[in-house]
Amino acid sequence: MAGRILGKTLATVSLSVALAYVTVKSSGFRSIPECRNSLSSCGFHLNSNIMSASNGAKGNSHNKARTSPYPGSKVQRSQVPNEKVGWLVEWQDYNPVEYTALSVLAGPRWADPQISESTFSPKFNEKDGHVERKSQNGLYEIENGRPRNPAGRTGLVGRGLLGRWGPNHAADPIITRWKRDKSGNKITHPISGKNILQFVAIKRKDCGEWAIPGIYKGYVDDPRNTDNAWMETEAVNYHDETGEIMDNLTLEAGDDAGKVKWVDISDKLKLYASHSQFIKLVAEKRDAHWSEDSETDCHGL
């Protein structure tokens, strides 16, 4: 009994952390234990390398980082065609827009000063005091004193809404459970024959898209990314195998979330940033339903 109560408490804490960090205001990388004894199944890290080479990007790994207008503003990025995303492609006429949000320039604790400030001497590609400036994807280039996005050009320089120059780290859980009927039996998909997995999703206030409160390990194709600041994250899946913990969990949205609910996992989900790829990884790991197409499986990342 005591263990069950403790489990619910830890699950509530995990969910609160997840919802609080959808918009990252963390100054450094937060490590998350890989296993919670309170949950019936230990969490696992999602370590699929969604970003392609360090000097370019695949079509599906660097799209939202080039979209306009920039989130929370009317700023239009310079257009970057697919063939000119990679830094190895010479582009002398490249003229990105400069933009850093006023909320960042105001100097909150979670944000760096401007590069031009004489008292600011960041140590890129290493641990810089309490700030982790190492990338999950290896070393990144520094050009004119500014870090360069390893996935390629975005059409915008500066930091936008991101606090740190270079990688901005996040680490949050993806919370899942099996979909069950009123009798508590797992529900299988009528076509794939696999059990249906559910995850906690939030509806973001800024764009109205559903998102997961947490992600994988590495670069993220995020609409807030710029040439000089980008999102990186590590996702850990916390799965309630029996449903005893999560079924009684009260879901409450954070400040930047409009709604929060359990959502069925499938390839029909339209999610924020690269979250669809992360959810697909979870479905693969749990051998859960993903697609109605028998030709499609969860290995085609």
Side-chain angles (χ1 to χ4, degrees):
M1 182 66 180
R4 188 171 177 176
I5 295 175
L6 176 60
K8 291 182 179 180
T9 302
L10 289 175
T12 303
V13 171
S14 295
L15 181 58
S16 300
V17 170
L19 296 177
Y21 278 85
V22 172
T23 299
V24 177
K25 295 183 179 180
S26 175
S27 61
F29 180 79
R30 296 181 293 114
S31 61
I32 296 180
E34 189 169 356
C35 179
R36 292 278 195 253
N37 292 331
S38 60
L39 299 184
S40 56
S41 179
C42 295
F44 58 80
H45 295 263
L46 305 180
N47 295 319
S48 175
N49 186 11
I50 292 177
M51 191 184 77
S52 58
S54 60
N55 290 300
K58 294 180 181 179
N60 68 348
S61 64
H62 199 61
N63 285 328
K64 296 197 175 184
R66 291 181 283 157
T67 55
S68 291
Y70 186 86
S73 77
K74 296 181 180 180
V75 175
Q76 297 289 321
R77 299 176 187 263
S78 297
Q79 292 188 354
V80 180
N82 290 337
E83 64 272 14
K84 292 187 177 179
V85 168
W87 295 109
L88 292 180
V89 179
E90 186 175 352
W91 190 6
Q92 295 182 353
D93 295 331
Y94 180 50
N95 186 29
V97 175
E98 175 93 30
Y99 175 67
T100 299
L102 291 177
S103 58
V104 176
L105 293 175
R109 289 185 301 173
W110 47 268
D112 289 331
Q114 286 290 78
I115 288 287
S116 58
E117 291 192 18
S118 59
T119 57
F120 182 53
S121 301
K123 299 177 180 178
F124 293 120
N125 285 304
E126 60 181 282
K127 186 69 175 291
D128 185 11
H130 68 284
V131 179
E132 180 58 87
R133 301 193 188 277
K134 290 189 292 186
S135 170
Q136 304 273 14
N137 295 95
L139 297 178
Y140 50 88
E141 300 291 330
I142 309 299
E143 188 176 74
N144 298 323
R146 294 184 174 191
R148 196 170 70 175
N149 189 323
R153 299 180 175 97
T154 68
L156 190 144
V157 294
R159 285 175 288 163
L161 288 169
L162 300 179
R164 301 297 179 193
W165 294 98
N168 287 254
H169 295 286
D172 297 293
I174 301 173
I175 301 173
T176 58
R177 70 180 184 184
W178 296 112
K179 187 174 185 178
R180 298 177 185 273
D181 59 23
K182 293 181 179 180
S183 299
N185 300 313
K186 295 179 183 177
I187 298 177
T188 60
H189 192 274
I191 297 179
S192 70
K194 292 189 174 184
N195 295 331
I196 298 175
L197 197 64
Q198 295 182 314
F199 75 104
V200 176
I202 65 164
K203 192 170 187 179
R204 295 178 63 97
K205 289 182 179 179
D206 54 3
C207 63
E209 289 185 291
W210 288 96
I212 60 174
I215 348 182
Y216 87 129
K217 186 175 183 178
Y219 178 86
V220 181
D221 182 23
D222 192 289
R224 295 169 293 180
N225 290 353
T226 75
D227 284 9
N228 310 123
W230 58 92
M231 284 301 306
E232 295 189 9
T233 190
E234 181 173 6
V236 181
N237 175 218
Y238 288 87
H239 177 66
D240 182 12
E241 180 64 29
T242 65
E244 294 179 354
I245 298 174
M246 299 302 181
D247 284 355
N248 298 317
L249 192 64
T250 301
L251 303 181
E252 296 182 359
D255 293 340
D256 59 352
K259 298 179 180 179
V260 57
K261 69 176 184 179
W262 289 100
V263 173
D264 293 356
I265 289 178
S266 78
D267 62 348
K268 292 182 172 57
L269 289 172
K270 303 297 181 184
L271 298 175
Y272 179 79
S274 300
H275 294 189
S276 290
Q277 298 178 62
F278 310 142
I279 289 297
K280 187 177 181 181
L281 284 172
V282 173
E284 174 190 353
K285 294 291 187 181
R286 298 294 174 192
D287 193 27
H289 167 71
W290 174 252
S291 174
E292 295 182 4
D293 185 358
S294 59
E295 297 289 323
T296 303
D297 58 29
C298 294
H299 300 279
L301 290 177

